[in-house]
Amino acid sequence: MCNSTPSTTDLGLTDKNHACSCGTDNHGGAHSDAGEAKTEGTVREHYLIEGMTCSHCVASVTEELSAVDGVESVSVDLHAGGTSRVMVVSSKPVPVGDVRAAIIEAGYSLVTV
C-alpha cells in the first residue's frame, strides 16, 4: 500500500497520471489515498482490474462491488483492453477477499503484484 499524497492542481483536481513515491503507479490490490480529503469514517481504496473493455463492464463491476457490505460508492477509470482503476468508498474497511470475490463474480480479475 502506498501512502503518498496525490498531485493536485490549483483547482483541487487529482492528477490521474500521478505516480506514487514508491516509484510506480501500478499497485496490485489496494492503494490508499491518505492525502485525499476524507469524511470521518470514510475509507477510499483503489484497485486495479484487468479485462474491462466497455460501459457494460463498468456497470457489471459497479453493481457487484456496490453489493458488498459497507460499500457506499464505486467509481471506475476505464482503460479499455488494459488495466482499469476502480475506487471503492466505504463506511468501513472492506476485506480485499470480498472485493476480489465481487470482481470475479462480475467476470474480471483483480491485479496483484
Side-chain angles (χ1 to χ4, degrees):
M1 193 177 315
C2 181
N3 290 319
S4 71
T5 303
S7 173
T8 58
T9 67
D10 290 338
L11 299 174
L13 303 173
T14 301
D15 178 1
K16 72 177 188 174
N17 297 317
H18 168 72
C20 296
S21 62
C22 64
T24 181
D25 61 357
N26 185 18
H27 296 283
H31 175 172
S32 176
D33 281 333
E36 284 187 11
K38 292 187 178 183
T39 306
E40 182 134 353
T42 300
V43 178
R44 288 176 178 81
E45 293 290 340
H46 290 97
Y47 301 91
L48 298 176
I49 300 176
E50 288 184 339
M52 298 172 62
T53 60
C54 65
S55 61
H56 180 265
C57 300
V58 171
S60 296
V61 167
T62 300
E63 179 181 352
E64 291 297 332
L65 286 172
S66 294
V68 174
D69 187 39
V71 173
E72 295 175 352
S73 68
V74 176
S75 62
V76 178
D77 182 15
L78 178 65
H79 291 280
T83 303
S84 298
R85 184 174 176 174
V86 175
M87 181 176 69
V88 175
V89 178
S90 57
S91 57
K92 61 184 180 182
V94 177
V96 71
D98 292 355
V99 171
R100 183 182 312 280
I103 292 168
I104 290 170
E105 181 66 27
Y108 307 96
S109 31
L110 183 65
V111 176
T112 58
V113 178

